[in-house]
Amino acid sequence: MKRDIEDFAIFGGRPAFLHPLYVGHPNIVDRDRLFDRLNWTLDNQWLTNGGPLAREFEDRVAELSGVRNCVATCNATVALQLLVHAAELTGEVIMPSMTFAATPHSVRWLGLTPVFCDIDPRYGGVDVSAVEASITERTSAIFGVHLWGRPCAVDELEKLAAARGLRLFFDAAHALGCSSKGRPIGGFGDAEVFSFHATKVVNAFEGGAIVTDDDELAQRIRSLHNFGIGMEGFNAAGGTNGKFNEAAAAMGLTSLDSFPKYTRHNQGNYELYRSELAGVAGVRVIEFDPEERNNYHYIVIEVDREVTGISRDLLMELLHAERVQAKPYFSPACHELEPYRSQRPIRLPHTEWLAARVLAMPTGTTVSREDIRRVCNIVRIAVERGRDITARRRQDA
Ligand SMILES: *Cc1c(COP(=O)(O)O)cnc(C)c1O
């Protein structure tokens, strides 16, 4: 255990961990079950193109999100692009900047313009009045994002989209198994998109899914993700290859089997971070609403530099030296990243304010309670001695 700032690895001490702790380290799957499914797939000789495991995976994701249709895809980015195509979006799509670059990239890749709007800094989700103010005659859709698995303002956005005749989609990459006012994420807007990338709570190595109650939209997406086949042969809409293969489905199903276990482990990690950091002034673990279903996959702390005397960036550097690979998700926010920064320079004060303060902490099934106690001990001392560390850093520079 560290006692003084001399013990910190940035000042020459020994790193606290021999093996690095990561954010988004893949959750542990049951190997026997995975290999059983892979063996079964090889025996079955149906490797892709809507195979039986992919169909089973789609059924289970649809059920989990309380919707009628699920189309699994090779990843969530292609799933977002399929939505843009299937809904024939044009012009501008309004979205928060506080998200992973895949959200705006998917729209831009198809020649549309992502229009970033500010967030409500209290919860990190999109500010509905800012969305409304961003609507122009070129706007065709709104993309909400359930940042860190916490639902954005789904009801207000549904009302706004209906009133203004816009399509409404959600990037739900973080929000599998979560709920808003008791209703499962997946059923809001015209459709929602999940990611099953290796870093997500349920993983299929790579994978995505579109869930919707709009049967016609689902049918269009299903054919568009298979070269357009199924829409009366090859047709004017064209198509792409966004298919989900059976090996990915085997992994996805096996990971889904353990999802309740992951959630329990993550909830325990979250509660431990909360109690260990409760007395640390200027550091707050961003809360999940205990009334809702949560997957607790992202544990994010907010660092108030005025109180701690140490900036988020210096705290992160200090943690990295200890081999605690905390991540500044999502900082810089998308509007401050290329290609958006130079194409359309804008200021989003609430987004920039929050982006400068947040730090995602290591969690998941590979991170133990003891690891978390040690991480929190480092954070506690780093904050108690925040001003000394900052001054010493300046001297060294
Ligand atoms: C991971 C992620 C994506 C992209 O998912 P892929 O399956 O890797 O394409 C999109 N949006 C958000 C918010 C994400 O975190």
Side-chain angles (χ1 to χ4, degrees):
M1 285 285 187
K2 309 265 167 181
R3 287 202 176 75
D4 199 7
I5 64 175
E6 304 303 322
D7 298 334
F8 283 129
I10 46 163
F11 299 129
R14 217 171 57 187
F17 291 90
L18 191 56
H19 301 290
L21 292 184
Y22 295 105
V23 174
H25 205 58
N27 280 322
I28 299 157
V29 295
D30 182 332
R31 284 187 196 217
D32 291 338
R33 276 198 184 185
L34 173 63
F35 288 132
D36 281 351
R37 283 187 167 111
L38 289 170
N39 273 321
W40 185 86
T41 297
L42 294 177
D43 291 340
N44 191 46
Q45 299 181 347
W46 187 347
L47 306 185
T48 186
N49 288 22
L53 296 188
R55 290 299 173 117
E56 186 185 343
F57 183 76
E58 290 177 340
D59 288 347
R60 284 177 62 181
V61 171
E63 193 177 334
L64 191 62
S65 26
V67 298
R68 278 200 304 276
N69 307 283
C70 171
V71 181
T73 58
C74 54
N75 61 53
T77 306
V78 164
L80 290 166
Q81 291 172 347
L82 282 161
L83 277 181
V84 172
H85 256 292
E88 297 178 331
L89 302 185
T90 56
E92 297 173 353
V93 176
I94 300 169
M95 62 181 69
S97 168
M98 189 72 178
T99 179
F100 182 53
T103 324
H105 277 14
S106 62
V107 163
R108 184 178 179 274
W109 192 248
L110 299 177
L112 284 77
T113 307
V115 172
F116 295 118
C117 68
D118 217 346
I119 52 172
D120 181 330
R122 286 166 304 180
Y123 84 111
V126 79
D127 176 345
V128 180
S129 58
V131 174
E132 185 160 21
S134 305
I135 297 173
T136 71
E137 69 280 0
R138 298 192 66 231
T139 307
S140 62
I142 301 165
F143 276 18
V145 176
H146 306 305
L147 186 68
W148 309 315
R150 288 138 26 99
C152 62
V154 286
D155 298 336
E156 285 110 305
L157 287 171
E158 281 184 341
K159 268 186 217 130
L160 178 63
R164 304 296 291 264
L166 300 173
R167 304 302 292 269
L168 173 63
F169 300 106
F170 292 99
D171 179 335
H174 296 176
L176 186 78
C178 301
S179 70
S180 173
K181 301 202 182 85
R183 270 178 64 196
I185 292 299
F188 295 99
D190 293 294
E192 304 206 48
V193 168
F194 294 119
S195 171
F196 301 101
H197 182 254
T199 54
K200 305 303 204 267
V201 65
V202 167
N203 100 77
F205 299 118
E206 290 263 8
I210 297 156
V211 289
T212 179
D213 273 327
D214 182 336
D215 300 342
E216 203 183 305
L217 183 68
Q219 208 183 351
R220 272 183 82 76
I221 291 163
R222 191 171 292 288
S223 79
L224 286 173
H225 98 309
N226 185 26
F227 310 104
I229 297 167
M231 296 167 78
E232 290 135 31
F234 289 93
N235 64 83
T240 187
N241 181 357
K243 295 190 303 284
F244 189 58
N245 68 63
E246 291 289 280
M251 182 66 161
L253 285 166
T254 310
S255 186
L256 267 183
D257 291 340
S258 296
F259 186 28
K261 206 169 82 186
Y262 299 159
T263 298
R264 277 196 301 277
H265 185 93
N266 285 342
Q267 183 173 1
N269 283 358
Y270 161 76
E271 281 159 7
L272 188 58
Y273 269 112
R274 294 244 302 161
S275 63
E276 290 285 309
L277 295 176
V280 182
V283 172
R284 182 171 78 93
V285 179
I286 294 185
E287 279 158 69
F288 287 97
D289 183 344
E291 301 295 310
E292 300 289 353
R293 279 173 52 201
N294 301 296
N295 61 32
Y296 300 98
H297 183 61
Y298 292 95
I299 297 175
V300 179
I301 64 170
E302 202 188 313
V303 180
D304 181 351
R305 185 195 182 148
E306 302 292 309
V307 180
T308 59
I310 182 170
S311 69
R312 186 272 316 268
D313 288 340
L314 183 51
L315 178 62
M316 181 169 74
E317 191 188 330
L318 182 149
L319 286 167
H320 287 183
E322 305 295 342
R323 303 202 180 117
V324 177
Q325 302 297 322
K327 291 266 193 170
Y329 283 163
F330 289 100
S331 162
C334 292
H335 73 286
E336 296 191 292
L337 291 176
E338 293 301 349
Y340 310 105
R341 187 172 66 166
S342 35
Q343 268 176 2
R344 221 179 214 250
I346 49 165
R347 296 260 68 96
L348 297 172
H350 291 158
T351 300
E352 289 160 29
W353 180 85
L354 189 65
R357 299 157 71 99
V358 290
L359 196 55
M361 302 303 284
T363 182
T365 49
T366 58
V367 176
S368 72
R369 306 287 189 254
E370 183 51 30
D371 292 335
I372 292 171
R373 281 187 201 98
R374 291 167 67 196
V375 170
C376 292
N377 176 59
I378 296 167
V379 172
R380 194 179 306 114
I381 297 173
V383 169
E384 273 166 14
R385 304 291 306 277
R387 279 165 228 286
D388 300 337
I389 293 168
T390 303
R392 163 103 187 247
R393 195 71 187 154
R394 275 209 199 96
Q395 253 171 36
D396 289 356

